[in-house]
Amino acid sequence: MRDLYNAAVWLADRNLEQGRGNRNAIVTSEGAITYHGLLRLIFRAQNALGELGVRREERVALVLNDEPAFPAWFLGALRSGVVPVPLSTMLKGSELGEIIDDSLAQVIVMSAEYVPLLEEISSRAPNLRAAVIVGNTDVEAGVDIYRWDEFTDGTEARIAGTNRDSPAFWLYSSGTTGFPKGVMHRHYNLEATALTYASSVLRVTEEDIFYSAAKLFFAFGLGNSLTFPFAFGATTVLDPARATPKAVAVTAKAFRPTLFFGSPGLLASILDAGIERDVFSSFRLGVTAGEALPAEILKRFVSEYGFPIFDGIGSTEALHIFLSNQPDAVLPGTSGRPVEGYSLKLIDDMGDEIKEADVPGYLHVQGESIATGYWARSEATRNAFWGPWLKTGDVYVRSADGYYQFLGRNNDMIKMGGIWVSPAEVEGVLVEHQDVLEAAVVGSKNEDGLETTVAFIVPRSGHSVDQASIEEHCRARMASFKRPRKIVLVEELPKTATGKVQRYQLRSQLSSKDL
Ligand code: 3UK
């Protein structure tokens, strides 16, 4: 028999065994939860899963804010061998419904504020039969409704007989075809990110207090606000609110966190908002990821606030950061050097490894935290996972002293505020508008050097396109982060002989103009 291993036991039970039961695991504006308290909440989620009849390896969808119920359900599911599928709280009901349908989850756990989406979700996900609501609500829907408060946490629950390779959790990530793919991770992958990046780059101790502007449903936020603090018996600050510069300032004042995680765009807007230096004096280190951090923003932020910022690249497939700026090794405008425990290589168009410096190539990564594949997407899985290597889809160049610089991606995907936007998906919505004949969506850099979404639209003959009406059309049909920030009307789109839109032509048209 293989050695038993369960990620939730490693992250939660182990802290009690090591005498940290009375230390704070989670702090929120409503109070603190110790590691003892966390384990009780985990038992409650396990008991709820049992009562709801959810079995090993079945999926449970989580549409939860950053609040204690998230770690309780995520770890509770792992401890029972059930597969939690955290989903973006920024999505519309229709978008969530399609993903839940793909996952075949029969049970959803949601924060009360998302309950109005339930009807739309269940109409698209016919397998869904029950919803557990966190917070107060009266609701009627096509599924059975339970309340999180009504389950009991008194009785200790059983640990499933999982091992390191057992299916653990899925995270959905957008792809070029427009439909998100379920990225499947195994139990050991969480520990692998803690023992590599969190240990050697963040150098976490149990005194650390984590605060991540990126929410728990992202791989980035999951590491920052759950895996890393619990792996080291430290404390995580959970705040359900959207992380605006103001909200970040309020949290920093109230909880005095030591580690900060956010997107490059958030750093730019904090600088813009002119938050005072003192407010952030508890931070010893900040991390950005999701898209490249322009050197200018990095330098301005560090000179304003006086603590170091490490830009690093991670991905949903790699689970967390594998290439990063590090203690005593920061080079602005680069993603730094490989994180200890990961191997990187650059590959040329012929598929050969590039050994010399300063030659651009496709970045591949190997390490213990790489996903096992995409759920029910064989072709996409074969394309991305090459033996032990993960093809990131990013083009990088390495300097003679080992720093990697991001040059771009070898597909058309856009990163808006560090979040994937699929051009195909947005185009599909735009052409549903009555005045639109064709649409092409591309990413373009704004004045801060960050990516933003631009739509080129060809009106139908005899129709004129009214920007406000396109805007309204998009607001009703897609999550707001996907909405094009600029619309350009054109008579035709540049195309190849076979009729494929040449998005690179559109991009170069934009880069010659100011946005
Ligand atoms: C791009 C970057 C340049 C790059 C993520 C930290 O972003 C995360 O995961 P996603 O699956 O996207 C992955 C892709 O985003 N990217 C991310 N970080 C950087 N490009 N510089 C960066 N620092 O194209 C990559 O392939 O959304 C980030 C931890 C966990 C994550 N999942």
Side-chain angles (χ1 to χ4, degrees):
M1 203 175 107
R2 305 182 61 180
D3 288 341
L4 293 177
Y5 176 89
N6 185 283
V9 172
W10 192 77
L11 289 168
D13 301 44
R14 188 174 49 93
N15 281 301
L16 275 72
E17 286 154 22
Q18 297 179 349
R20 285 187 286 263
N22 293 322
R23 293 184 67 91
N24 285 344
I26 302 171
V27 293
T28 73
S29 58
E30 312 208 320
I33 295 172
T34 62
Y35 277 98
H36 267 303
L38 173 63
L39 194 61
R40 275 197 302 276
L41 290 178
I42 290 171
F43 291 160
R44 194 204 296 183
Q46 288 188 267
N47 292 331
L49 287 165
E51 284 176 46
L52 294 168
V54 182
R55 297 183 301 177
R56 275 283 291 271
E57 298 192 15
E58 288 181 352
R59 274 72 64 194
V60 57
L62 310 181
V63 182
L64 289 170
N65 288 328
D66 280 25
E67 56 183 323
F70 190 113
W73 279 91
F74 185 82
L75 295 172
L78 293 181
R79 208 168 176 280
S80 290
V82 169
V83 175
V85 185
L87 299 171
S88 169
T89 57
M90 299 156 91
L91 298 178
K92 301 271 178 197
S94 54
E95 296 165 320
L96 286 169
E98 286 180 14
I99 296 174
I100 292 171
D101 186 36
D102 182 73
S103 78
L104 301 176
Q106 298 177 37
V107 173
I108 183 173
V109 184
M110 58 198 326
S111 301
E113 69 177 284
Y114 307 113
V115 165
L117 307 178
L118 197 49
E119 208 174 293
E120 179 76 33
I121 291 174
S122 69
S123 78
R124 303 210 182 215
N127 289 290
L128 203 62
R129 56 178 172 83
V132 180
I133 312 300
V134 179
N136 287 323
T137 179
D138 307 308
V139 62
E140 301 248 332
V143 298
D144 294 337
I145 305 289
Y146 299 83
R147 287 191 40 187
W148 170 226
D149 293 344
E150 286 165 8
F151 292 101
T152 52
D153 54 14
T155 35
E156 181 164 347
R158 270 193 59 238
I159 302 165
T162 48
N163 59 56
R164 281 182 165 69
D165 279 336
S166 297
F169 61 98
W170 299 358
L171 296 168
Y172 273 82
S173 178
S174 283
T176 34
T177 58
F179 194 82
K181 305 184 288 285
V183 179
M184 304 186 289
H185 283 282
R186 60 179 184 142
H187 270 256
Y188 185 70
N189 291 3
L190 293 162
E191 179 172 340
T193 60
L195 298 189
T196 55
Y197 176 73
S199 167
S200 69
V201 179
L202 302 179
R203 300 189 176 164
V204 181
T205 73
E206 65 176 39
E207 305 304 326
D208 274 312
I209 303 176
F210 285 73
Y211 171 59
S212 173
K215 298 298 178 192
L216 277 162
F217 62 79
F218 294 114
F220 185 39
L222 183 71
N224 308 337
S225 293
L226 191 157
T227 320
F228 303 159
F230 299 168
F232 294 91
T235 302
T236 185
V237 177
L238 296 184
D239 178 14
R242 204 168 72 86
T244 58
K246 240 191 180 153
V248 175
V250 169
T251 303
K253 278 192 209 160
F255 300 105
R256 308 307 289 158
T258 59
L259 293 165
F260 174 66
F261 303 84
S263 65
L266 181 61
L267 295 201
S269 54
I270 286 172
L271 282 168
D272 220 38
I275 308 286
E276 281 173 36
R277 186 185 171 109
D278 269 6
V279 172
F280 292 155
S281 59
S282 62
F283 289 123
R284 66 170 179 85
L285 173 65
V287 169
T288 67
E291 64 180 318
L293 175 63
E296 184 56 28
I297 297 178
L298 169 67
K299 289 179 190 158
R300 277 177 56 211
F301 195 92
V302 172
S303 87
E304 188 66 39
Y305 295 106
F307 61 91
I309 297 288
F310 294 168
D311 177 13
I313 169 179
S315 74
T316 309
E317 289 81 351
L319 192 53
H320 214 277
I321 294 173
F322 49 83
L323 168 60
S324 183
N325 286 279
Q326 313 192 16
D328 303 318
V330 173
L331 184 61
T334 76
S335 306
R337 291 173 164 161
V339 172
E340 223 178 282
Y342 293 91
S343 310
L344 301 189
K345 63 178 180 182
L346 296 175
I347 299 288
D348 67 17
D349 280 320
M350 305 303 291
D352 296 324
E353 182 171 354
I354 299 167
K355 301 271 184 167
E356 58 277 43
D358 305 321
V359 182
Y362 303 112
L363 182 68
H364 288 53
V365 57
Q366 177 176 339
E368 285 295 308
S369 64
I370 307 291
T372 56
Y374 300 117
W375 168 249
R377 298 277 193 287
S378 325
E379 195 184 337
T381 301
R382 287 185 191 118
N383 279 330
F385 301 90
W386 291 37
W389 294 97
L390 167 72
K391 200 159 93 176
T392 65
D394 298 303
V395 180
Y396 265 85
V397 62
R398 181 183 57 234
S399 67
D401 49 0
Y403 285 88
Y404 285 72
Q405 187 185 4
F406 175 79
L407 298 179
R409 278 182 291 275
N410 65 346
N411 62 33
D412 294 317
M413 293 292 288
I414 301 164
K415 273 287 178 119
M416 178 76 196
I419 310 175
W420 283 132
V421 174
S422 156
E425 181 186 353
V426 178
E427 289 159 4
V429 171
L430 288 170
V431 296
E432 285 170 8
H433 188 283
Q434 57 180 9
D435 299 325
V436 174
L437 177 68
E438 280 184 297
V441 170
V442 298
S444 175
K445 281 190 179 170
N446 69 12
E447 68 276 9
D448 282 331
L450 299 171
E451 205 165 11
T452 184
T453 311
V454 180
F456 287 80
I457 289 179
V458 183
R460 284 172 65 174
S461 62
H463 292 240
S464 64
V465 165
D466 168 15
Q467 304 227 3
S469 123
I470 297 279
E471 179 113 354
E472 194 184 316
H473 175 85
C474 291
R475 271 182 208 281
R477 288 168 181 77
M478 60 175 84
S480 76
F481 70 89
K482 299 177 184 172
R483 206 169 60 239
R485 296 306 192 256
K486 184 186 163 86
I487 289 167
V488 182
L489 299 179
V490 289
E491 279 174 21
E492 59 180 351
L493 295 172
K495 287 187 185 154
T496 62
T498 55
K500 197 171 183 294
V501 175
Q502 293 168 308
R503 290 201 186 79
Y504 70 91
Q505 292 261 19
L506 296 170
R507 277 192 290 265
S508 65
Q509 226 173 300
L510 284 169
S511 58
S512 55
K513 284 189 223 147
D514 235 0
L515 264 181

Coordinates of all heavy atoms in Angstrom, one line a residue, residues 219-220 289-292 311-316 319-321 392 394 396 406 409 415 420, ligand 1:
A219 N -5.2 30.8 -7.9 CA -4.1 30.0 -7.4 C -3.1 30.9 -6.6 O -2.6 30.5 -5.6 CB -3.4 29.4 -8.6
F220 N -2.9 32.1 -7.1 CA -2.1 33.1 -6.4 C -2.6 33.3 -5.0 O -1.9 33.2 -4.0 CB -2.0 34.4 -7.2 CG -1.1 35.4 -6.7 CD1 0.2 35.1 -6.2 CD2 -1.4 36.8 -6.8 CE1 1.1 36.1 -5.8 CE2 -0.6 37.8 -6.4 CZ 0.7 37.5 -5.9
A289 N 2.4 39.5 -8.9 CA 2.3 38.4 -9.9 C 1.1 38.6 -10.8 O 0.3 39.5 -10.5 CB 2.3 37.1 -9.3
G290 N 0.9 37.8 -11.8 CA -0.2 37.9 -12.7 C 0.2 38.5 -14.0 O -0.3 38.0 -15.1
E291 N 0.9 39.5 -14.0 CA 1.5 40.1 -15.2 C 2.8 40.8 -14.9 O 3.1 41.0 -13.7 CB 0.5 41.0 -15.9 CG 0.2 42.3 -15.1 CD -0.7 43.2 -15.9 OE1 -0.6 43.4 -17.1 OE2 -1.6 43.7 -15.2
A292 N 3.6 41.1 -15.8 CA 4.9 41.7 -15.5 C 4.8 43.0 -14.8 O 3.9 43.9 -15.1 CB 5.7 41.9 -16.8
D311 N 8.7 40.7 -7.9 CA 7.9 40.3 -9.0 C 8.2 38.8 -9.3 O 9.4 38.5 -9.4 CB 8.1 41.2 -10.3 CG 7.3 40.8 -11.5 OD1 6.4 39.9 -11.4 OD2 7.7 41.3 -12.6
G312 N 7.2 38.0 -9.5 CA 7.5 36.6 -9.8 C 6.4 36.1 -10.7 O 5.2 36.6 -10.7
I313 N 6.7 35.1 -11.6 CA 5.7 34.5 -12.4 C 5.3 33.1 -11.9 O 6.1 32.3 -11.6 CB 6.1 34.5 -13.9 CG1 5.1 33.6 -14.7 CG2 7.5 34.0 -14.1 CD1 5.4 33.5 -16.2
G314 N 4.0 33.0 -11.9 CA 3.4 31.7 -11.5 C 2.3 31.4 -12.5 O 2.1 32.2 -13.4
S315 N 1.7 30.2 -12.4 CA 0.5 30.0 -13.2 C -0.4 29.0 -12.5 O 0.0 28.3 -11.6 CB 0.9 29.4 -14.6 OG 1.3 28.0 -14.4
T316 N -1.7 29.0 -13.0 CA -2.6 28.1 -12.4 C -2.1 26.6 -12.5 O -2.3 25.8 -11.6 CB -4.0 28.2 -13.1 OG1 -4.3 29.6 -13.1 CG2 -5.1 27.5 -12.3
L319 N 0.6 26.0 -10.1 CA 0.0 26.3 -8.8 C 0.5 27.6 -8.1 O -0.3 28.4 -7.6 CB 0.1 25.1 -7.8 CG -0.7 25.3 -6.5 CD1 -2.2 25.5 -6.8 CD2 -0.6 24.0 -5.7
H320 N 1.8 27.9 -8.2 CA 2.3 29.1 -7.6 C 3.5 29.6 -8.4 O 3.8 29.1 -9.5 CB 2.4 29.1 -6.1 CG 2.1 30.4 -5.4 ND1 3.0 31.4 -5.3 CD2 0.9 30.8 -4.9 CE1 2.4 32.4 -4.8 NE2 1.1 32.1 -4.5
I321 N 4.3 30.5 -7.7 CA 5.4 31.1 -8.4 C 6.6 30.2 -8.5 O 7.0 29.6 -7.5 CB 5.7 32.5 -7.7 CG1 4.6 33.4 -7.8 CG2 7.1 33.0 -8.2 CD1 4.7 34.7 -7.0
T392 N 4.7 26.9 -20.6 CA 3.9 28.0 -20.0 C 3.2 28.8 -21.1 O 2.3 29.6 -20.8 CB 4.9 29.0 -19.3 OG1 5.8 29.6 -20.2 CG2 5.6 28.2 -18.2
D394 N 4.7 31.3 -22.5 CA 5.4 32.6 -22.4 C 6.7 32.6 -23.1 O 7.4 31.6 -23.1 CB 5.6 33.0 -20.9 CG 4.3 33.1 -20.2 OD1 3.4 33.8 -20.6 OD2 4.1 32.3 -19.2
Y396 N 10.4 34.2 -23.1 CA 11.3 34.8 -22.2 C 12.7 34.9 -22.8 O 13.0 34.1 -23.7 CB 11.4 34.0 -20.9 CG 10.4 34.5 -19.8 CD1 9.1 34.1 -19.8 CD2 10.9 35.4 -18.8 CE1 8.3 34.6 -18.8 CE2 10.1 35.9 -17.8 CZ 8.8 35.5 -17.8 OH 7.9 35.9 -16.8
F406 N 10.5 38.8 -19.3 CA 9.2 38.4 -20.0 C 9.2 39.2 -21.3 O 9.3 40.4 -21.2 CB 8.0 38.7 -19.1 CG 6.7 38.5 -19.8 CD1 6.2 37.2 -19.9 CD2 5.9 39.6 -20.2 CE1 4.9 37.0 -20.5 CE2 4.7 39.4 -20.8 CZ 4.2 38.1 -20.9
R409 N 3.5 36.6 -24.9 CA 3.0 35.2 -24.9 C 2.9 34.7 -26.4 O 2.7 35.5 -27.3 CB 1.6 35.2 -24.3 CG 1.7 35.1 -22.8 CD 0.3 35.1 -22.2 NE -0.4 36.4 -22.3 CZ -0.3 37.4 -21.5 NH1 0.5 37.3 -20.4 NH2 -0.9 38.5 -21.7
K415 N -4.0 39.5 -20.3 CA -4.0 39.6 -18.9 C -4.6 41.0 -18.5 O -3.9 42.0 -18.8 CB -2.6 39.4 -18.3 CG -2.3 38.0 -18.1 CD -3.0 37.5 -16.9 CE -2.8 36.0 -16.6 NZ -2.2 35.8 -15.3
W420 N -6.8 36.4 -16.6 CA -6.9 36.0 -18.0 C -8.2 36.5 -18.5 O -9.3 36.3 -18.0 CB -7.0 34.4 -18.1 CG -5.7 33.7 -18.0 CD1 -5.5 32.6 -17.2 CD2 -4.5 33.9 -18.8 NE1 -4.2 32.2 -17.5 CE2 -3.6 33.0 -18.4 CE3 -4.1 34.9 -19.7 CZ2 -2.3 32.9 -18.9 CZ3 -2.8 34.8 -20.2 CH2 -1.9 33.9 -19.8
Ligands
3UK1 C1 1.4 35.5 -16.9 C2 3.2 36.8 -15.8 C3 4.9 38.2 -16.5 C4 2.1 34.5 -17.7 C5 -0.4 33.1 -11.0 C6 1.2 33.7 -9.3 O1 -1.0 34.5 -12.9 C7 -1.1 33.4 -12.4 O2 -1.7 32.4 -13.0 P1 -2.6 32.4 -14.3 O3 -2.9 31.0 -14.7 O4 -1.7 33.1 -15.4 C8 -0.4 32.6 -15.8 C9 0.3 33.4 -16.8 O5 0.2 34.8 -16.4 N1 2.1 36.0 -15.7 C10 1.9 35.7 -14.4 N2 2.8 36.3 -13.6 C11 3.6 37.0 -14.4 N3 3.8 37.4 -16.8 N4 5.3 38.4 -15.3 C12 4.7 37.9 -14.2 N5 5.2 38.1 -13.0 O6 1.6 34.6 -19.0 C13 1.7 33.2 -17.1 O7 1.9 32.1 -18.0 O8 -3.7 33.4 -14.1 C14 0.6 34.0 -10.5 C15 0.9 32.6 -8.6 C16 -0.1 31.7 -9.1 C17 -0.7 32.0 -10.3 N6 -1.7 31.2 -10.8

